[in-house]
Amino acid sequence: MTRLNFMFLVIFGVAIIFSGCEKEDCSTSIFTEFTGTSNFVVDIEPGTTTELPDGRILIDGQSAEWYDEATDWRVTGKTIWHVNWLMEVEANTAQIWGTAELFVDGDRGKWELSWQGYQTPTGDGFKVVVGAVGTGKEGEVKGLVATWTYTMNFDFNNPETSFFYATEGIINE
């Protein structure tokens, strides 16, 4: 198992443990699944790009606005992503990590997310998979914990139709 996958599993496990029930009986926990999309809106900050001695490229402090639309209103709204990349350009691979804030539509709450993922090459492009764990910090989502998987299958031949993430996740109520 790669270190990145192991770290995601550890974060997911910790989120489940610390989102446990207030009572000893956890049978009353409700888990709600959701699916959706995340679409790019605008770059905010390009970050700092550093060429490393081993040929990799580090991009630190990049940020952008996206819009998440999901089957559950609690995870629908504007997201601000803070991104770091460690790229191997020749191989078209990257490790990515950072934080995000999701502002629920209608000013109904705010999530804070911590996430990490990777980019791998495909035949005509690349695939990005990101695992995120979020905690509701304000409003109607305060105190909730959720996990997300964001997946982009980018096709160099169709960039205008493949530059988005499909999302799926679970809200622990």
Side-chain angles (χ1 to χ4, degrees):
M1 181 181 312
T2 67
R3 188 179 332 171
L4 185 60
N5 289 339
F6 177 73
M7 289 180 66
F8 176 70
L9 290 174
V10 168
I11 290 171
F12 181 75
V14 169
I16 296 299
I17 291 169
F18 286 106
S19 67
C21 306
E22 292 179 15
K23 301 175 187 172
E24 288 184 28
D25 178 14
C26 289
S27 63
T28 59
S29 289
I30 299 171
F31 296 93
T32 304
E33 295 181 4
F34 61 88
T35 60
T37 59
S38 184
N39 293 286
F40 177 77
V41 176
V42 66
D43 281 320
I44 298 171
E45 173 64 45
T48 303
T49 300
T50 306
E51 231 179 284
L52 302 175
D54 62 3
R56 295 183 298 168
I57 294 176
L58 175 65
I59 301 173
D60 184 41
Q62 185 181 57
S63 61
E65 179 181 331
W66 290 69
Y67 183 78
D68 284 28
E69 187 167 355
T71 55
D72 192 304
W73 66 267
R74 295 172 294 180
V75 289
T76 296
K78 175 174 82 171
T79 52
I80 304 296
W81 291 84
H82 305 280
V83 184
N84 304 292
W85 297 78
L86 183 57
M87 304 175 75
E88 295 192 34
V89 178
E90 300 273 330
N92 194 21
T93 63
Q95 295 176 12
I96 51 178
W97 68 95
T99 60
E101 297 171 298
L102 189 156
F103 299 90
V104 180
D105 278 352
D107 201 24
R108 295 175 77 177
K110 176 179 131 181
W111 293 88
E112 291 182 358
L113 288 74
S114 178
W115 60 271
Q116 61 183 349
Y118 54 89
Q119 174 182 303
T120 56
T122 60
D124 291 326
F126 58 84
K127 181 176 186 174
V128 178
V129 178
V130 170
V133 177
T135 303
K137 292 295 186 179
E138 297 176 7
E140 295 176 58
V141 298
K142 186 174 183 175
L144 298 179
V145 174
T147 59
W148 285 257
T149 300
Y150 287 80
T151 304
M152 178 188 293
N153 289 300
F154 187 82
D155 182 349
F156 291 128
N157 299 315
N158 297 300
E160 64 282 343
T161 60
S162 63
F163 189 58
F164 74 94
Y165 287 92
T167 62
E168 60 183 6
I170 299 171
I171 301 170
N172 181 2
E173 302 178 44

